[in-house]
Structure formats: structure tokens, C-alpha cells
Amino acid sequence: QVHLAESGGGLVQAGGSLRLSCAASGRTSSIDGMGWFRQAPGKDREFVAAISWSGGVVDYADFVKGRFTISRDNAKNAVHLQMNSLKPEDSAVYYCAAATNYFLKRSNYNYWGQGTQVTVSS
């Protein structure tokens, strides 16, 4: 089992920044990669960014390229999502997820955190 705990959500004005963190515990040795997904009210959950457990490979959704940065903290078994130039349309519940097999395939994410709310006001 892998346990994930997110932190760092909140309310920010458009153009501002937030940093989300996700701490992994349990069988972290089984993790191939971790990612962030988000879901806005009335919309499907969508992929945001992902990073290999080693930190050497990253992947981003087109709509966050140049604004968001995903990174790994090896010492703390954590993943961070630095979000800059936030827009109202970035408002959503953000979920941290872990994949134990080929993390670049979105459907392989089999462990999920509880989610953290991000609200961007205009």
C-alpha cells in the first residue's frame, strides 16, 4: 500500500502562485512515478503533471506548460507542484497520485490522495 497526503491548497488571486506538496508513505519502493490531476465542478478529472520516482522524467499537460513545475524531494519522499501565473480556470480540487507501473500512462495511477482545493479569484 502507498499512502499519499497533499497539502498547500488555498485561495489566491489571478496571477498569483501556490505550491502543492504530496508526501508518500508506505511501500514507496513500488512507485514508478507520481502525478497531479485536477477536477473542477461538473468536469472530468484531468491530468496536470507527472514525474518519475527518480525525478529524471517529467510530463506536463499543454495548458500548464511554462506555468507549473513539478519536482521531487528524494529525502522526504515528496512531490511538489509549483503553480505560477494562476488563472481562474485553474480552480479545482487537485489530487496527488502514484503509479506503480509505467507512470506515463495516465490510467496506471492506482493510489490517490484525498485532494486539496485550489481557488483562483479573478
Side-chain angles (χ1 to χ4, degrees):
Q1 285 281 350
V2 174
H3 304 281
L4 304 173
E6 302 104 333
S7 61
L11 173 65
V12 65
Q13 289 188 330
S17 299
L18 280 175
R19 185 178 189 240
L20 305 183
S21 296
C22 177
S25 60
R27 291 191 61 193
T28 58
S29 61
S30 67
I31 297 174
D32 184 63
M34 293 181 64
W36 289 94
F37 294 74
R38 70 186 188 185
Q39 187 167 21
K43 295 187 177 181
D44 292 334
R45 185 171 60 195
E46 61 182 355
F47 168 77
V48 176
I51 188 167
S52 61
W53 194 235
S54 67
V57 178
V58 295
D59 186 26
Y60 293 98
D62 287 343
F63 57 80
V64 302
K65 286 181 179 177
R67 300 190 300 128
F68 292 8
T69 303
I70 190 169
S71 61
R72 268 278 282 133
D73 184 337
N74 292 331
K76 297 182 179 180
N77 281 341
V79 172
H80 306 292
L81 184 68
Q82 178 66 43
M83 305 186 295
N84 299 328
S85 302
L86 283 162
K87 306 174 183 179
E89 52 263 43
D90 292 319
S91 297
V93 177
Y94 282 70
Y95 295 92
C96 174
T100 53
N101 182 42
Y102 193 53
F103 80 102
L104 289 174
K105 185 175 181 180
R106 314 284 165 80
S107 60
N108 280 352
Y109 285 82
N110 47 345
Y111 292 99
W112 295 84
Q114 294 296 311
T116 185
Q117 178 71 47
V118 170
T119 303
V120 185
S121 63
S122 57

